[in-house]
Amino acid sequence: MVTVFLILINIIFYFTVPYNYYSLFGLNILFFKKDAFWQIASALFLHANLTHLILNMIVLFQFGKILENCLGSFKFCLLYITGGLLCSFLSACYIYFIFLTSNEFVNVVGASGVICVLMGYYAVLDANSLKGLFIVVMLMSFVPLLMGINVAWYAHIFGFICGFILAKLKEKR
């Protein structure tokens, strides 16, 4: 149920937030400069284009349903929110570093980072999938770059690591 709700929120955001508001709601340097604290969450629900939205929602449905069934709706929702915020914060730090070193304005949108949180978490639950999921994350991070498509590769990697660590911490308890 939570998975479907998250997908609906993403779809609603895509069709209701005008593109000219993306610099306000996407994750960028304004997070630090203008105290745009909401960006750390709102960026997770914006998508650059319809293809971006559809691909992310397919993977969210796949891993979301598995993890929601495994963890229960409440714990899955907690994982999604905690992992998404952690991944966004790490991405914001990277964006800040890019701004300081090259004065480049980067605006990150999309659920891929938090979806990679789910993949990293799942990789701990099913150890046989670790290598395959890691390869998938690397491919979805760097193949588009080789094709000239701008992707927040660091959000994917941060997300996978966050999900992996969150699952390991839960495993220890």
Side-chain angles (χ1 to χ4, degrees):
M1 191 69 176
V2 172
T3 302
V4 173
F5 179 71
L6 290 168
I7 290 169
L8 287 174
I9 291 173
N10 278 277
I11 292 169
I12 290 167
F13 262 69
Y14 181 75
F15 287 106
T16 60
V17 177
Y19 191 75
N20 57 332
Y21 282 88
Y22 272 40
S23 63
L24 182 61
F25 292 111
L27 185 60
N28 55 55
I29 194 67
L30 297 177
F31 176 75
F32 294 102
K33 288 190 154 203
K34 301 284 185 193
D35 294 326
F37 58 89
W38 58 85
Q39 288 184 346
I40 205 161
S42 60
L44 299 172
F45 298 100
L46 297 176
H47 289 82
N49 54 51
L50 194 55
T51 303
H52 186 210
L53 174 70
I54 291 169
L55 290 174
N56 275 347
M57 295 308 98
I58 289 170
V59 181
L60 172 55
F61 183 77
Q62 179 184 9
F63 284 94
K65 290 306 281 180
I66 292 169
L67 289 173
E68 188 175 356
N69 287 338
C70 179
L71 300 172
S73 294
F74 179 75
K75 286 182 181 177
F76 170 71
C77 188
L78 202 57
L79 169 65
Y80 193 91
I81 292 167
T82 304
L85 294 177
L86 277 170
C87 179
S88 282
F89 180 74
L90 291 171
S91 295
C93 292
Y94 183 80
I95 289 167
Y96 188 69
F97 172 76
I98 292 297
F99 183 78
L100 290 178
T101 57
S102 67
N103 208 31
E104 182 182 348
F105 182 86
V106 175
N107 191 42
V108 175
V109 296
S112 354
V114 70
I115 290 168
C116 288
V117 167
L118 303 180
M119 293 168 81
Y121 196 94
Y122 183 79
V124 172
L125 295 181
D126 178 9
N128 293 325
S129 69
L130 174 59
K131 189 188 306 181
L133 287 173
F134 181 75
I135 289 169
V136 165
V137 170
M138 292 299 112
L139 289 173
M140 67 188 252
S141 299
F142 298 110
V143 169
L145 290 175
L146 295 172
M147 297 168 53
I149 301 168
N150 196 11
V151 257
W153 57 269
Y154 43 88
H156 300 161
I157 295 167
F158 289 148
F160 191 82
I161 292 168
C162 287
F164 191 87
I165 290 171
L166 288 170
K168 284 293 189 181
L169 289 174
K170 185 182 182 314
E171 202 175 62
K172 285 191 185 238
R173 282 191 278 142

